[in-house]
Amino acid sequence: MESVEEAAGIRAPRRARYIRTILLELERIHSHLLWLGIAGHIIGFDTVLMQSWRMREPVMWAAEKITGNRKTYGQNLIGGVRRDIEKELIPELFPMLDTLEQQWKKVLDAIAGDTTLKARLEGVGILPADKARDLCVVGPTVRGSDIPIDSRVDHPYAAYDELVPRVITFTGCDNWARVLVRMHETFESIRLIREGLKNLPDGPILTQVEETPPPGREGMIVVEAPRGEAIHYVITGSDYRPYRWRVRAPTYQQLQALPSMIQHATVADVPITLGSMDPCFSCTERLEVIDVKTHKVKVYSNEEILNISRRKYGRG
Amino acid sequence: MFRSKIKEAIICLEAGRVTLAYPFAPAFIPKGFRGLPSVDINRCVGCGGCASVCPSSLVEIVDEPDRTTITRYFERCIYCGRCADVCPEMAIEMTERFETATNDIRDLHVVHHIYMATCSRCGRCFSSQTPLDPPDYRSFKGTRLNRLGVEST
Ligand code: SF4
Ligand code: SF4
């Protein structure tokens, strides 16, 4: 959205930018909570899966109350946001954040002394800082290797120029450091939401877009998604459609670091090392079909993929 | 080691029972929830606004001489509510329905026919009161049909 706004030279009103920030941080909280659960599940510690997902549920409800849906918020529009955070809702959100913060502190306190957990995580999946820099790793993975990269601070968008997050880094370079980064980032997000809600400015939530941007304008935005930076690049086209829209999701870069992280590791450590960068394979999928017998490689064109999926849906 | 195990046990015990009775009891649905859109076709004027904003492009509008057929393939709906926001006649409402799983995808297809008449002054289409109130074909000029390259009758 913001890349289109940049291309069109629009700036969303301040209130809208605050609402965006609050939602982005809610998103980060629930993503990190979900991730801790999954990481626990991978190493066979299902208690943490159950507990962190239980704590996550009120966050999802809060998002549902604000936007009308748990996950597909559908909140951003070019020039602002669709739904306002209503006045009556704000007092409900603070107790939710307080409870979450208390519970999360307890979890951190409990797992920090858990030697079983540390045996599985500490010193496993080492990614030294220079290697991480060479491979252009992003997000919590690189912050666990003591490199303070965070596009919320480096290239502020939404209201991050006013609500400045503290960049959390740990020096361990291992899976445990990445756990700690995410756990502490959750506290940071809770703080940002609180501050955002307290200082929520008045005003409109949507600017009227007077004219559509002419074709050929470019816009690019870097957004710190919970997994790392996501880049959106847009070239405007005619007929209200983009000419080109390229998304670079963070997992693809992260995966480049995997071979060096799992070097000399035991097989049992591979899943958690992969899990420690919170991979999203649907963001990374590139399709190439190789016939095993003839070793022929076939690359499908856009048209062919469309036709296959249409046939599958019984249309066309 | 034991201390942290005990702490972990306390976290679990403190939580108590949190499982919801759903699906045996209805799920809690907050105010402003966006579920499956429902269309009050009596209000629809066939303007096509919903088709042009729908991010999933699931609304298909076909103009025929005397009527407009609107087909919605709701299996692709993401419940965003853009169509409800944009509809000038407030014909679309976001319901609280979200349990739409089905064995037959056709259950989610909704087809509407609107019988269109043309304004004898400006020649633009509007929906006639009832299908029994026949549109006047002879004045089909300068309508959407012509723009689509269809010869007027
Ligand atoms: S709710 Fe969104 S996806 Fe569903 S029909 Fe309306 S505009 Fe399309
Ligand atoms: S926007 Fe409303 S009036 Fe227009 S076609 Fe869609 S449902 Fe009908």
Side-chain angles (χ1 to χ4, degrees), chain A residues 38-48 117 120:
Chain A
I38 304 261
H41 174 73
I42 292 174
I43 55 174
F45 186 23
D46 273 302
T47 315
V48 75
L117 207 60
R120 287 299 313 273

Side-chain angles (χ1 to χ4, degrees), chain A residues 27 41 62 87 104 117 155 176 180 189 220 242 264 277 297:
Chain A
E27 174 97 3
H41 174 73
K87 281 235 160 48
W104 202 235
L117 207 60
H155 314 278
W176 180 243
L180 289 178
S189 299
M220 179 158 139
H264 309 304
M277 46 185 155
V297 178

Side-chain angles (χ1 to χ4, degrees), chain A residues 231-290:
Chain A
I231 299 175
H232 287 242
Y233 171 71
V234 174
I235 304 179
T236 55
S238 47
D239 297 339
Y240 306 102
R241 284 170 206 280
Y243 172 71
R244 185 165 162 71
W245 173 30
R246 166 86 168 106
V247 184
R248 197 186 75 174
T251 301
Y252 191 76
Q253 287 106 283
Q254 320 268 49
L255 283 178
Q256 312 310 318
L258 188 67
S260 75
M261 281 157 89
I262 58 174
Q263 222 170 23
H264 309 304
T266 55
V267 173
D269 284 338
V270 175
I272 181 61
T273 308
L274 177 60
S276 80
M277 46 185 155
D278 200 359
C280 167
F281 290 106
S282 46
C283 303
T284 311
E285 231 148 39
R286 305 286 185 272
L287 183 75
E288 192 177 83
V289 180
I290 301 176

Side-chain angles (χ1 to χ4, degrees), chain B residues 37 54-56 58 74 77-83 94:
Chain B
C54 178
S56 317
L58 63 80
F74 275 126
C77 181
I78 56 170
Y79 305 167
C80 66
R82 293 292 303 269
C83 52
M94 301 307 282

